[in-house]
Amino acid sequence: MTTELKNSHALIIRTDGSFEVIDWPTENDLPILYKGIGCTHVDAVDISRRLTMWIDDSGLINGAPVNRAATILYAIHQEPHQHYHGNVVITGGVDHEGKTLGLTNEEIASIIEFHLTFTNIDIPSQRTK
C-alpha cells in the first residue's frame, strides 16, 4: 500500500461532540477545510509532529462555541494556552515538501477512541426493535 493511499483521511470534530471521517485529497485541500469547519479562513495548529488541527481563524472573534474535544486533544499533547472555538479538522503532519498529509486508519481509530473516552460523549445504545 502506498503512503498516499494509506494516509487519505481527516477527522472533523464538531463543537457538539459529533465527528466525521472524511477523505483527504492529494491536492486542493483548502475547500475541504473550509467546508469541514464551516468557515472562509483557516489556521493550522500543530498538535504534534504528526497531527495538525485546522481551526476557524475567526472562531473566537465570531463567538463560535468552545470545542471541548479539540481543546482536550491539544492539551493531551502540549500545554494548553487557550480554548479552541468552532469545528476543527484533524489531519496528519506535513511531508518533506510541506504538504499536509492525511491520517491513517490507525490514527483515525486512535483519535476517535480518545474522543469517546475523554469527552464523555453519550453513545446511543443498541435499538432492540
Side-chain angles (χ1 to χ4, degrees), residues 5-54:
L5 293 175
K6 185 178 176 188
N7 297 322
S8 60
H9 307 291
L11 184 68
I12 300 170
I13 302 177
R14 296 185 183 91
T15 58
D16 66 2
S18 65
F19 58 89
E20 179 182 353
V21 177
I22 60 172
D23 291 329
W24 186 249
T26 56
E27 294 183 13
N28 199 23
D29 51 23
L30 272 177
I32 301 293
L33 292 169
Y34 295 150
K35 182 178 177 184
I37 297 169
C39 67
T40 57
H41 296 88
V42 296
D43 198 8
V45 176
D46 291 326
I47 294 175
S48 71
R49 190 176 61 76
R50 295 179 53 189
L51 285 178
T52 302
M53 178 169 59
W54 296 88

Side-chain angles (χ1 to χ4, degrees), residues 28-103:
N28 199 23
D29 51 23
L30 272 177
I32 301 293
L33 292 169
Y34 295 150
K35 182 178 177 184
I37 297 169
C39 67
T40 57
H41 296 88
V42 296
D43 198 8
V45 176
D46 291 326
I47 294 175
S48 71
R49 190 176 61 76
R50 295 179 53 189
L51 285 178
T52 302
M53 178 169 59
W54 296 88
I55 63 171
D56 178 350
D57 195 39
S58 302
L60 176 62
I61 296 167
N62 292 337
V66 169
N67 190 321
R68 185 171 174 268
T71 302
I72 292 170
L73 180 62
Y74 182 88
I76 293 295
H77 291 85
Q78 296 192 43
E79 185 173 334
H81 56 278
Q82 71 179 58
H83 293 282
Y84 293 99
H85 293 257
N87 299 331
V88 302
V89 174
I90 307 295
T91 63
V94 296
D95 66 13
H96 64 281
E97 296 175 347
K99 183 177 171 187
T100 300
L101 301 171
L103 297 167

